[in-house]
Amino acid sequence: MKKVLAKILCLSMIALSLASCGGKKNKSKASAAAEGEQNLNAGEGDPIAKLDVCIGPSPETMDPQRNSTLDGGTMIMHCFEGLVKYGEDGSILPAMAESWEVSKDKVTWIFTLREGLKWSDGKDLTSEDFVYAFKRLADPKTAAPYGYDMLSMIAGYEEASHGSLEALQVKATDEKTLVIQLYNPVAYFDKVVAFTSLVPLRKDIIEEKGEAWSTDPSSYISNGAYQMSEYVDGDYISLKKNPYYYDADKVTVEELVFHLVDDDNSAYSAYLEGSLDVTSRIPSEEMASLRDSDAFKTFPLLGTSGMIFNTEKPPFNDVKVRKAFALAIDKKHIAENIFEGYRTPAATLVCEGVSDPADGGSFIEKSLKEYKSPFHIDEYEKDLEEAKKLMKEAGYPGGVGFPKVRYLNNAGGANNSIAEYLQSAFKELGVMMEIDTRDWKAVSEAQKTGDFELSRFAWVYDYDEPLQLLNLFRSEDPNNCAHYHNDKYDSLIETATKETDGKKRSKALHKAEHLLLKDLPMVPLVFPKDNYLIRPNLRGVQHLSSGHCYFMYCTRVE
């Protein structure tokens, strides 16, 4: 195919009756409204033969259970679909499951699959495919970054995560019924099962092909709107409409091509010359000039961007040093000057738009009112003076004796501009910082192995829940790239995970965030928004608050 960018570049088998689950079940609002699903095929216009999109470089993996990136997640969700899915408005909609029920004690969830579900190769899809996927996600051999986050509330997870996979209480009682038993009630479990890590997978293919299954179109057998037709690493991934998808009639894009571009200028040039219909890769210096363009779209996003320390490596094992570096950064400057006002300076860790479990209000507003922030967004000079004082207390007056440090960065967006600003900001402390720019795969690997001192940090929440960020700093979390360990923090997170009373959950979550803001394994810099260039004649691009996009329902108006 034409390479348009080449030139510019997650109940045991006991027979539980409804009565033994606590009597009459509570039906999910979403399942009750199955007949009135959101109209995903939004907008007028004609179907599209081929849609060319750029949302990032080569994904670190196309394996749904090993992926931890936003762009990779968007690509995967076009190929795979779980029991339920997110609607554009954040609601939970039926997907592979046409309905689900929750017991009165809210620990038993029963999902009923649709009739006639098939894989992209025409084979039947059954509840056993979900059982296999859930157990694979729990398997320590998979080393899934989201294993704990997605499964820790399911009974038997602890044993399964140590290799006893049969202990995981996810059971297929027949080909269409999946029963999941939780340790404790989890109010947001429907949001959990909508995540891409919990899609069904083909045991026969993965056991035959091993890790290579997810890069070969012939073995990348999917159950969603698309099937992979080509995968050229570093160039493009082509997806073609899956005729066996239960909702294929609503899919209006026949072929969806993800162009894998790491350079914003290259992606922008491709958009200008007509090779791309959609791109999220926009040079920061072009933002101001594009602000009033019909093609320029800004979407709300649940996310936190910042800088992490390797808390196991001197001198950043010293909290005084970490706090000094944190206070030396002018967040308002980054938001207003580097991002041209398209970001909000971050005074807390959990971002804007996240609900407080106590009352459904703003989590961040309660944080700022009741727990305060160590940062004075409008009084940077005050923070800088405190930073210099802390460096002296740590034994490095004026930076004397402080080693040269290395900041791990990946190119793209405003990352380079931020790195250069941090370089100048730390000079105010007498510290020399070297910028080490690598591709995203290399940065991700270095963060996980601890081969860094300072590094760029960016996290987008998969749904409206404070733990989406706070879980990352739990000692045993695979995504704890700051290598932060604090028993008190771990205990607070465990309480917040298991507690069902909203006010008690809120208290534990706020205490955990406050502890992080004292220890500062990560410095929050800005809360992001998602910017896209979308052809003005394109309709139906659906952006979720998680940052993922649905492109399969697009139409074109001529």
Side-chain angles (χ1 to χ4, degrees):
M1 70 178 279
K2 181 181 179 185
K3 300 178 183 179
V4 299
L5 298 176
K7 62 185 176 182
I8 55 176
L9 320 172
C10 150
L11 233 264
S12 68
M13 287 304 288
I14 58 177
L16 283 176
S17 67
L18 293 184
S20 66
C21 286
K24 184 179 178 181
K25 298 282 184 168
N26 299 313
K27 275 214 170 181
S28 159
K29 291 181 181 179
S31 64
E35 295 303 317
E37 287 187 24
Q38 180 179 339
N39 181 13
L40 295 175
N41 192 5
E44 74 283 7
D46 299 320
I48 298 172
K50 183 164 77 77
L51 189 69
D52 294 286
V53 174
C54 175
I55 57 173
S58 292
E60 60 179 5
T61 178
M62 284 292 285
D63 186 327
Q65 297 186 336
R66 288 187 164 127
N67 173 69
S68 65
T69 65
L70 179 59
D71 48 355
T74 291
M75 297 175 196
I76 290 167
M77 67 191 290
H78 282 81
C79 295
F80 287 88
E81 194 169 277
L83 294 164
V84 296
K85 62 187 175 185
Y86 303 113
E88 188 178 14
D89 60 355
S91 61
I92 298 299
L93 301 175
M96 293 291 110
E98 64 180 358
S99 65
W100 56 99
E101 299 177 336
V102 186
S103 59
K104 276 189 175 180
D105 59 10
K106 298 183 180 180
V107 297
T108 303
W109 291 64
I110 303 175
F111 295 87
T112 301
L113 304 187
R114 297 176 185 270
E115 289 282 358
L117 292 176
K118 292 184 179 295
W119 291 96
S120 58
D121 63 355
K123 291 189 177 182
D124 291 343
L125 186 153
T126 73
S127 53
E128 285 290 353
D129 295 317
F130 280 97
V131 173
Y132 168 71
F134 276 62
K135 290 180 178 179
R136 180 176 183 262
L137 185 64
D139 193 339
K141 294 178 182 177
T142 305
Y146 282 113
Y148 175 88
D149 301 82
M150 300 295 115
L151 300 179
S152 59
M153 66 285 291
I154 299 180
Y157 170 72
E158 186 65 28
E159 296 91 337
S161 67
H162 289 88
S164 299
L165 302 184
E166 295 306 313
L168 191 70
Q169 295 303 295
V170 179
K171 305 295 181 181
T173 57
D174 58 45
E175 291 190 345
K176 284 186 57 186
T177 308
L178 188 74
V179 182
I180 302 175
Q181 187 81 22
L182 308 184
Y183 279 118
N184 303 283
V186 177
Y188 54 90
F189 189 62
D190 55 345
K191 296 179 181 179
V192 173
V193 292
F195 191 59
T196 52
S197 292
L198 294 176
V199 298
L201 294 173
R202 283 281 291 275
K203 179 179 180 179
D204 57 333
I205 291 173
I206 294 176
E207 290 187 344
E208 177 186 350
K209 297 288 186 177
E211 292 186 13
W213 81 274
S214 62
T215 58
D216 183 350
S218 69
S219 58
Y220 201 70
I221 305 303
S222 53
N223 72 312
Y226 291 93
Q227 54 190 334
M228 184 188 291
S229 62
E230 293 181 85
Y231 186 170
V232 183
D233 195 19
D235 195 349
Y236 64 88
I237 294 176
S238 175
L239 309 178
K240 290 191 175 179
K241 188 172 174 179
N242 174 13
Y244 294 104
Y245 179 51
Y246 72 91
D247 221 13
D249 289 346
K250 289 184 180 178
V251 177
T252 51
V253 177
E254 194 68 29
E255 182 182 7
L256 177 59
V257 183
F258 286 102
H259 297 274
L260 311 176
V261 185
D262 200 14
D263 178 65
D264 289 354
N265 289 304
S266 295
Y268 182 54
S269 296
Y271 178 85
L272 292 178
E273 72 171 18
S275 300
L276 290 176
D277 296 295
V278 180
T279 182
S280 63
R281 307 308 296 256
I282 308 169
S284 56
E285 60 270 19
E286 300 292 342
M287 292 291 187
S289 65
L290 292 168
R291 190 186 300 263
D292 297 323
S293 167
D294 289 340
F296 188 73
K297 306 295 180 184
T298 296
F299 300 98
L301 187 66
L302 297 180
T304 303
S305 296
M307 178 184 77
I308 55 171
F309 301 96
N310 186 336
T311 61
E312 292 182 332
K313 279 191 175 183
F316 298 113
N317 58 344
D318 186 337
V319 67
K320 289 184 177 180
V321 171
R322 297 199 299 271
K323 189 171 183 179
F325 272 61
L327 292 173
I329 302 170
D330 187 348
K331 300 172 179 61
K332 192 172 183 178
H333 169 83
I334 294 174
E336 295 184 354
N337 296 306
I338 295 178
F339 285 108
E340 301 282 349
Y342 282 102
R343 298 289 188 273
T344 305
T348 60
L349 293 162
V350 176
C351 74
E352 302 168 317
V354 174
S355 305
D356 195 293
D359 55 10
S362 170
F363 189 90
I364 191 172
E365 287 182 10
K366 186 172 184 178
S367 292
L368 293 173
K369 180 180 180 181
E370 299 184 17
Y371 293 87
K372 311 302 180 185
S373 168
F375 308 113
H376 300 86
I377 300 299
D378 296 315
E379 299 177 88
Y380 167 64
E381 294 301 328
K382 181 178 181 178
D383 281 355
L384 182 58
E385 287 306 308
E386 177 66 14
K388 292 177 180 179
K389 185 187 301 185
L390 285 165
M391 286 292 283
K392 184 176 181 179
E393 291 177 7
Y396 306 103
V400 175
F402 200 89
K404 186 175 182 178
V405 297
R406 180 170 55 97
Y407 177 82
L408 186 60
N409 179 54
N410 64 286
N415 297 349
N416 292 339
S417 297
I418 293 172
E420 291 167 2
Y421 165 72
L422 293 176
Q423 194 174 49
S424 65
F426 298 149
K427 280 184 181 179
E428 295 291 329
L429 302 179
V431 173
M432 300 300 293
M433 186 188 90
E434 172 189 347
I435 300 172
D436 180 6
T437 300
R438 310 181 191 178
D439 64 50
W440 171 242
K441 286 184 179 181
V443 171
S444 179
E445 181 62 26
Q447 287 180 346
K448 289 174 182 177
T449 61
D451 185 22
F452 75 100
E453 295 162 314
L454 303 169
S455 183
R456 172 183 175 265
F457 173 90
W459 197 261
V460 177
Y461 308 12
D462 299 301
Y463 46 85
D464 177 5
E465 165 57 48
L467 283 174
Q468 280 283 291
L469 179 78
L470 300 180
N471 259 337
L472 304 181
F473 301 95
R474 189 182 56 86
S475 295
E476 301 304 318
D477 197 284
N479 293 305
N480 181 3
C481 295
H483 303 272
Y484 173 69
H485 304 282
N486 186 314
D487 291 342
K488 183 178 180 180
Y489 182 81
D490 292 346
S491 179
L492 286 167
I493 294 300
E494 183 177 5
T495 296
T497 300
K498 295 181 178 180
E499 182 58 64
T500 58
D501 181 271
K503 290 182 179 180
K504 292 179 180 179
R505 280 199 78 228
S506 175
K507 187 175 181 179
L509 289 164
H510 281 289
K511 282 186 174 182
E513 182 188 43
H514 186 62
L515 183 52
L516 281 184
L517 286 169
K518 288 177 64 177
D519 286 356
L520 288 167
M522 185 271 280
V523 186
L525 298 180
V526 294
F527 297 138
K529 293 182 178 66
D530 231 358
N531 301 311
Y532 275 78
L533 283 173
I534 300 173
R535 295 281 168 207
N537 67 341
L538 202 62
R539 301 288 186 271
V541 173
Q542 296 191 20
H543 185 277
L544 311 184
S545 62
S546 64
H548 299 98
C549 276
Y550 289 129
F551 297 110
M552 66 275 266
Y553 306 110
C554 287
T555 56
R556 201 185 302 278
V557 177
E558 299 299 341

